[in-house]
Amino acid sequence: SLAVLQKKTLNSYENVDFGSFDELYAAYISDLDDTVGQIFGLIADRFDGDVWKPLTPCTVVSLFERGCIENARSYLEGGPVYNMISPHIGGFPDTVNSLYAIKKLVFDEKLVGFREFMSILKNDWKDAKALRLRALNRLTYYGNDSDEVDFIAVRLLGDFASMCEKRDKKCAYRFPGGVSTFGRQLEWAQRRLATPYGRRAGEILAPNMSPTPGTDREGATAIIRSYCKPDLKRIPTGAALDLKLLPTSVEGEDGLGALKGLMRGFVELGGFFMQPDVADAAILREAQEHPGNYQTLSVRVSGWNARFVTLAREWQDMVIGEVES
């Protein structure tokens, strides 16, 4: 979603002055809907009318997927009982923050014109230090239980769900939406442009549906409350929340009680996909320097566990950065 905003919507309209934030948002939603439609078009192209086109057999998966042997059809030719491809909206928190920053700086506070702001971003915030610091430090972003910015999160996720729902069941594939990056926030970093909320080009941004590192300032409960405000029932393939906790916060009986309370509150508010990780940045840095002493140290990385010392240095730095933020 961030790539669509940065490289399609903002790039296409850099010479246009929008009359309101709603006009800009409508242009972005139109671009996002076109992108979702292109994904669906690739799926629909697998059919000749209602008949599956023959494809190269996906043999190994087909052997283990129920229905393929019974139907004598490959995994990619309608063999499984359920055929599903789920478009996931990656970079969701970064998109919410970007839209909110434009709303505040351009339309509400009128500190900069839209076209001038686009030029600033194209130049990676060069010669705009004061505005960048305001975007970084004076605005409250997703993950802090702020209704003003979380309203954009609710609106965007609802609109994305509608894009998927209107295409669902239009062919033999189901088309439910989800939210994820699952580690690709590092892979995508070098292709990311400067963001309206003060980050420079190439920075590692938000994992999954978790706050952008460094923007959450009100603690774990505020993160959970922001995450749970959208209607997550409309995102059936998941919206993962990675939650970093300090070891001191879960120490002893009181700490375990607090952790259980956090999980209960998460479920009661409508959450269903949380990945808590207890980590200490100092220990992780020590493990970087002396890996032989930390062979069994595990960390949670976007949905999977990994032994920290086996990760590439850039992955280790990403995990440490998320813990320190």
Side-chain angles (χ1 to χ4, degrees), residues 18-26 98-100 102-103 107-108 152 155:
F18 289 96
S20 67
F21 172 74
D22 284 341
E23 288 184 17
L24 170 62
Y25 181 82
S98 295
L99 289 168
Y100 180 68
I102 295 173
K103 179 179 184 296
F107 297 105
D108 294 352
I152 297 177
R155 185 180 182 185

Side-chain angles (χ1 to χ4, degrees), residues 179-196:
V179 183
S180 74
T181 57
F182 287 119
R184 290 185 293 255
Q185 63 268 28
L186 182 61
E187 174 188 335
W188 294 337
Q190 295 307 310
R191 298 196 296 272
R192 282 175 162 163
L193 308 177
T195 66

Side-chain angles (χ1 to χ4, degrees), residues 91-94 181 185 192 197 204-208 210-213 322:
F92 172 79
D94 303 310
T181 57
Q185 63 268 28
R192 282 175 162 163
Y197 59 96
I204 297 172
L205 303 178
N208 296 321
S210 311
T212 301
E322 291 175 355

Side-chain angles (χ1 to χ4, degrees), residues 93-270:
D94 303 310
T95 304
V96 171
N97 291 345
S98 295
L99 289 168
Y100 180 68
I102 295 173
K103 179 179 184 296
K104 297 299 291 184
L105 299 177
V106 175
F107 297 105
D108 294 352
E109 300 176 2
K110 302 186 186 303
L111 296 176
V112 62
F114 180 78
R115 281 188 286 182
E116 182 185 356
F117 197 23
M118 295 304 101
S119 179
I120 289 171
L121 296 179
K122 183 170 287 188
N123 290 313
D124 200 14
W125 289 99
K126 184 180 179 181
D127 300 325
K129 182 178 180 180
L131 186 64
R132 179 171 179 258
L133 290 176
R134 185 175 184 84
L136 280 171
N137 301 319
R138 297 293 296 277
L139 299 181
T140 301
Y141 294 111
Y142 167 80
N144 294 286
D145 192 22
S146 168
D147 288 338
E148 186 177 20
V149 63
D150 291 345
F151 171 77
I152 297 177
V154 172
R155 185 180 182 185
L156 176 55
L157 201 60
D159 286 339
F160 173 69
S162 295
M163 296 173 196
C164 298
E165 290 166 355
K166 73 179 181 181
R167 296 174 170 93
D168 190 31
K169 301 180 182 179
K170 296 297 184 181
C171 65
Y173 270 101
R174 299 300 303 267
F175 198 67
V179 183
S180 74
T181 57
F182 287 119
R184 290 185 293 255
Q185 63 268 28
L186 182 61
E187 174 188 335
W188 294 337
Q190 295 307 310
R191 298 196 296 272
R192 282 175 162 163
L193 308 177
T195 66
Y197 59 96
R199 300 301 175 90
R200 294 192 184 278
E203 289 196 26
I204 297 172
L205 303 178
N208 296 321
M209 198 168 157
S210 311
T212 301
T215 60
D216 53 305
R217 302 168 183 168
E218 300 297 327
T221 55
I223 293 173
I224 288 172
R225 290 180 67 85
S226 287
Y227 166 89
C228 290
K229 287 178 186 178
D231 185 359
L232 298 173
K233 294 188 295 294
R234 298 181 66 192
I235 306 296
T237 57
L241 175 63
D242 305 329
L243 193 64
K244 303 295 184 183
L245 302 171
L246 292 173
T248 54
S249 67
V250 295
E251 284 181 347
E253 290 299 323
D254 289 342
L256 290 176
L259 180 59
K260 288 191 289 186
L262 200 67
M263 292 179 174
R264 289 195 186 99
F266 175 79
V267 173
E268 290 176 4
L269 287 171

Side-chain angles (χ1 to χ4, degrees), residues 28-98:
Y28 168 63
I29 289 301
S30 176
D31 289 336
L32 185 62
D33 187 56
D34 286 345
T35 301
V36 174
Q38 291 170 17
I39 296 171
F40 181 77
L42 295 174
I43 299 169
D45 193 50
R46 296 180 180 182
F47 298 89
D48 184 4
D50 294 327
V51 179
W52 291 81
K53 293 180 180 178
L55 297 173
T56 301
C58 187
T59 308
V60 175
V61 175
S62 301
L63 287 173
F64 293 96
E65 191 71 28
R66 189 176 66 178
C68 293
I69 293 175
E70 292 85 347
N71 295 325
R73 291 202 301 266
S74 169
Y75 176 74
L76 296 177
E77 298 173 311
V81 176
Y82 301 104
N83 299 285
M84 180 185 76
I85 288 182
S86 174
H88 276 220
I89 184 169
F92 172 79
D94 303 310
T95 304
V96 171
N97 291 345
S98 295

